Amino acid sequence: MIAEPVAIDTDVLVIGSGAAGMYAAIEAARCGAKVLLADRSLIGRGGATVMAQMTVAVALGEETPDDWQHHLRDTLAAGRGLCDAKLARLLCEDAPDCIREMEAWGVGWARKDGHITATMAPGHDRPRCVYVDFINTGPAVSKTLRTHMARNQSIRKAGDLCIVDLVVGDGEATGAVGYHLSSGAPVTIAAKATVLATGGLTRLYRRNSASTNMGGDGYALALRAGATLIDMEFVQFFPIGHLAPRLVGMDPIMWDPFRYKLGGRLLNGNMEEFTSRYGSDEDGTYRLTRDLATYAIIKEAEAGRGAPHGGAYLSFEHCSAAALRDAFGPVIDRLAANGIDLTKMPVEVAPIAHYHMGGVKADADMATDVPGLYVAGEVVGGANGANRLSGNAITEALVFGRRAGKSAAARTSKTTALRHLRPQDARRTLDLARGDSGAAPDANTAAMIARLQAIMADDVGPLRTGAKLHRALDSIAALAAGLGNRPPGDNAAFDLERLDWLDLRNMITVARAVAQSALNRNESRGAHQREDFPDMLPQWQVHQSIELAGAELKLFGAPAEAEAPAP
Amino acid sequence: MTATATLRIRRGSADDTGRFEIHEVPFEPGQSVLDGLRWLRIHKEPSLAARYSCINANACKECMIQIDGETVYACTARLEPREMILTPLPNKKLIRDLVTEIAPPSERFR
């Protein structure tokens, strides 16, 4: 039986309900638009925001004098010459306003002596990172935006709504086609403007610090709609992700706030400090940038000096129980429930996929190359160049979300007639979304996702070579060949095999985009480290762009001649 | 012989009478029940429906189920080398297997 789609009409469709999507929805509604906020998971619960236990970079200057231009200088320096200056500027300039608006909405930034307090984080020239105690920044941001939306009658919220593709008519975005996961019903959404706020791609990797719905679907949706991706080779690995002993109920990136407050010592398997071997000395303070720390931990393990599970030790044994309790309160009890007493033992940490610098190309209004399609948050490419500064992720979610919501609403209020979603433009995606093939799955799609994560972790990880990247592209092609053309199953409720199939379709495209861009960039810069091209080269201070040409990914923007590797 | 946990899992949708399936998964001390469910999907039962997003952080609060009749988060409940009975939340509308309708009404697609 072919299910008839549920048809929805809205001014603005926002896809993804992390901080970027929620702020975009709020701003679009504030500008007078009718909004549909769709999330493939529950509203405000999936995605990266709710997991962000860390800090938010903003030049508030309440404690230490500061200015957004100082924040911008640090952002550009961290980006290793590759930040899109207009996006980086927007991020830093609008941040204080957004952070204060969040405060007015009740987020509860940590305070000291009557003002919002800020902590020092690596790469910043002064304390600039605000947070919510105890390690509660992301959940507080998420809850604040969710609560603020609850009273807003202009925002219709739709959880468990998975978008399969955007709809494009004569080159303009006119909405999307998806299906309701918990009933299986296909859905068409006609929208005058669409905001993609789907987050990053960390689910492509075996060990990652984000939720299971961060499989890069927004990049694939944008590509198939005709948008351009940039900087796809730059995947940020968070150097000190928790590795051992097994720890449940905590985000694996939780050690960063510990280091902000207490320093901590990074040690190799012989309990020696080692980062100075790789050109960075910590002097007991936490200043090591993410790309350098990732490199040092992997190289130390390769040299046979790693900790037992292949990472490095992180020790707070020099801190007193009272100091730990004072800094982290109830978190100390959660650690104890996992058998971890920081005064008596180190933990083991290792790099973990954390954030994607690359993404959809956009201008300072968050408009993409496709009229009617806007982007917000991590799915945007370019603002953070080759390496993101600590604390800029939630900042960009808020700033870009607000700007995208405003731009999308402005489009809907234009007097000129906008194209409406036409059935013929939606038909092909509807065939996928309505899930009427009835076919039994040819393969275990959950296992195929695990296989893709292994390929990416082993061969497209932080330290790359041409040989590994070629092997990865071959392995991805072999995996893709086993996927077939149509999702298995029919339109049953909560069919995870169907969802896995649709996810794999996106993940394979995005994995190829990362590997191809990485293979083509014959240098090392920021988060992209090529062991066969170890130097950063001036002629590579360029963005690589990717577009979809038929079934192939086309790469643009590389320098005419790549230099041979150093002998 | 390696240790295993035996998961007795209630499966089925709102439209059928439902059934229990018994699956063995490898057990390592410290693992969560969600680790066991994820292993099961990858290695044996990709059609098993369970709701979760954040995997490990207990931040998304989506993985609420009952284990041996008690409501818990699957991501923080420890896997144990014994039989564990996994059922969907009894006071929420069943969608499929361990998945129930837990979103507030105003945040549901309708």
Side-chain angles (χ1 to χ4, degrees):
Chain A
M1 191 186 83
I2 292 177
E4 277 309 305
V6 180
I8 297 176
D9 214 310
T10 186
D11 290 337
V12 175
L13 165 66
V14 178
I15 306 171
S17 68
M22 288 195 282
Y23 217 138
I26 290 168
E27 185 65 23
R30 180 154 61 187
C31 296
K34 192 173 71 177
V35 180
L36 176 74
L37 176 63
D39 196 295
R40 53 177 290 170
S41 176
L42 302 181
I43 296 295
R45 310 252 219 121
T49 300
V50 78
M51 296 185 67
Q53 295 178 339
M54 308 212 278
T55 59
V56 185
V58 54
L60 283 183
E62 291 199 11
E63 268 182 337
T64 312
D66 203 354
D67 185 277
W68 66 265
Q69 299 194 50
H70 301 321
H71 182 189
L72 178 59
R73 195 175 54 221
D74 289 345
T75 298
L76 296 177
R80 307 281 190 265
L82 221 58
C83 291
D84 179 319
K86 63 189 189 308
L87 292 181
R89 178 187 169 138
L90 173 66
L91 192 168
C92 299
E93 193 173 8
D94 278 14
D97 219 34
C98 289
I99 293 300
R100 292 214 166 86
E101 186 158 64
M102 289 295 292
E103 178 69 2
W105 293 342
V107 75
W109 304 116
R111 288 180 166 267
K112 211 183 266 174
D113 307 326
H115 47 64
I116 296 172
T117 188
T119 189
M120 186 73 195
H124 292 271
D125 69 346
R126 68 197 73 202
R128 184 178 288 134
C129 293
V130 302
Y131 56 94
V132 180
D133 269 327
F134 289 100
I135 329 193
N136 197 41
T137 302
V141 165
S142 215
K143 187 171 174 225
T144 301
L145 291 166
R146 238 178 112 197
T147 307
H148 193 74
M149 281 194 314
R151 296 185 290 270
N152 196 322
Q153 295 302 311
S154 303
I155 304 172
R156 176 177 174 185
K157 285 144 296 212
D160 283 342
L161 181 53
C162 177
I163 302 300
V164 175
D165 256 319
L166 302 174
V167 179
V168 176
D170 294 335
E172 292 191 24
T174 55
V177 170
Y179 74 105
H180 181 221
L181 192 55
S182 45
S183 68
V187 179
T188 64
I189 304 149
K192 294 173 185 160
T194 300
V195 179
L196 268 180
T198 44
L201 52 60
T202 35
R203 190 192 181 196
L204 291 181
Y205 290 87
R206 190 195 288 126
R207 292 185 69 239
N208 67 69
S209 67
S211 72
T212 190
N213 43 25
M214 301 282 280
D217 44 4
Y219 306 121
L221 294 178
L223 266 182
R224 288 194 297 263
T228 307
L229 305 184
I230 61 165
D231 297 345
M232 289 301 283
E233 61 272 43
F234 296 105
V235 180
Q236 183 169 68
F237 282 75
F238 178 74
I240 54 168
H242 184 82
L243 184 61
R246 185 76 171 93
L247 173 57
V248 303
M250 297 292 297
D251 181 346
I253 54 170
M254 60 172 291
W255 297 116
D256 220 31
F258 273 77
R259 298 210 77 192
Y260 290 151
K261 285 191 176 178
L262 301 167
R265 297 170 69 216
L266 201 56
L267 307 167
N268 67 15
N270 306 324
M271 303 306 274
E272 303 157 343
E273 288 181 343
F274 64 92
T275 53
S276 58
R277 281 199 250 277
Y278 306 95
S280 175
D281 209 339
E282 290 213 276
D283 302 333
T285 57
Y286 182 32
R287 289 195 319 224
L288 194 59
T289 54
R290 290 179 177 173
D291 46 0
L292 284 174
T294 294
Y295 185 82
I297 292 170
I298 292 174
K299 281 293 167 193
E300 196 68 2
E302 279 181 6
R305 294 187 297 265
H309 296 84
Y313 285 122
L314 179 63
S315 171
F316 297 94
E317 291 162 280
H318 58 288
C319 299
S320 70
L324 285 160
R325 171 71 56 182
D326 185 48
F328 290 100
V331 177
I332 302 301
D333 300 322
R334 278 151 77 187
L335 290 171
N338 281 279
I340 296 171
D341 179 348
L342 293 177
T343 64
K344 294 197 171 67
M345 60 193 276
V347 293
E348 198 176 330
V349 295
I352 184 169
H354 180 52
Y355 175 85
H356 192 46
M357 271 73 74
V360 184
K361 186 176 159 221
D363 65 18
D365 291 322
M366 296 294 126
T368 68
D369 292 345
V370 180
L373 180 62
Y374 302 83
V375 280
E378 190 174 345
V379 76
V380 179
N384 297 287
N387 181 51
R388 176 173 62 77
L389 186 66
S390 313
N392 269 355
I394 297 288
T395 313
E396 78 173 355
L398 301 172
V399 169
F400 293 171
R402 187 172 76 161
R403 178 60 61 102
K406 189 175 177 185
S407 300
R411 176 179 162 88
T412 66
S413 60
K414 271 185 191 159
T415 47
T416 50
L418 298 172
R419 177 170 289 295
H420 197 263
L421 182 138
R422 296 178 303 197
Q424 67 263 37
D425 299 328
R427 189 169 301 136
R428 202 200 285 189
T429 304
L430 203 51
D431 282 345
L432 287 179
R434 62 171 33 129
D436 53 3
S437 77
D442 293 332
N444 179 336
T445 47
M448 287 174 78
I449 289 176
R451 167 81 186 122
L452 181 61
Q453 290 172 322
I455 294 166
M456 292 300 284
D458 294 340
D459 286 341
V460 197
L463 305 188
R464 302 161 173 177
T465 65
K468 282 187 184 179
L469 292 165
H470 276 297
R471 188 169 63 189
L473 284 164
D474 289 345
S475 308
I476 295 167
L479 196 68
L483 192 61
N485 294 322
R486 293 182 61 75
D490 48 28
N491 55 338
F494 228 92
D495 182 346
L496 287 190
E497 287 173 291
R498 209 172 135 207
L499 183 64
D500 283 343
W501 190 95
L502 291 165
D503 281 347
L504 269 166
R505 168 178 177 247
N506 292 333
M507 291 170 84
I508 284 170
T509 299
V510 178
R512 276 186 169 140
V514 175
Q516 279 188 23
S517 307
L519 179 61
N520 204 51
R521 182 175 282 275
N522 290 334
E523 66 148 2
S524 290
R525 183 182 297 265
H528 169 75
Q529 292 293 320
R530 281 283 297 264
E531 295 191 279
D532 45 355
F533 293 93
D535 296 324
M536 187 161 99
L537 305 174
Q539 68 268 33
W540 268 104
Q541 196 174 341
V542 289
H543 297 282
Q544 297 191 92
S545 308
I546 289 185
E547 288 171 11
L548 199 59
E552 296 297 306
L553 294 171
K554 258 184 101 176
L555 203 59
F556 303 89
E561 265 179 67
E563 209 161 271
Chain B
M1 203 186 98
T2 53
T4 58
T6 305
L7 302 181
R8 195 180 173 86
I9 304 171
R10 178 84 179 171
R11 299 199 61 181
S13 68
D15 314 326
D16 57 44
T17 50
R19 65 194 186 278
F20 275 98
E21 280 184 5
I22 298 171
H23 294 285
E24 303 237 314
V25 300
F27 166 78
E28 270 177 54
Q31 280 188 310
S32 69
V33 170
L34 185 58
D35 289 339
L37 292 173
R38 291 173 60 224
W39 186 94
L40 196 54
R41 285 205 67 237
I42 290 169
H43 294 94
K44 285 190 194 166
E45 281 293 320
S47 68
L48 174 67
R51 191 193 273 286
Y52 65 93
S53 281
C54 79
I55 301 173
N56 189 71
N58 196 220
C60 72
K61 313 285 186 190
E62 293 189 6
C63 64
M64 242 193 287
I65 59 170
Q66 285 206 331
I67 298 178
D68 300 329
E70 257 185 75
T71 300
V72 295
Y73 293 110
C75 77
T76 52
R78 300 282 183 175
L79 198 63
E80 292 172 31
R82 62 172 176 88
E83 182 174 280
M84 304 179 86
I85 300 170
L86 276 48
T87 47
L89 296 179
N91 56 341
K92 302 282 182 191
K93 185 181 156 239
L94 179 65
I95 294 174
R96 181 181 185 145
D97 298 345
L98 298 173
V99 179
T100 51
E101 181 55 88
I102 56 170
S106 69
E107 293 178 348
R108 291 178 199 165
F109 174 78
R110 66 205 181 277

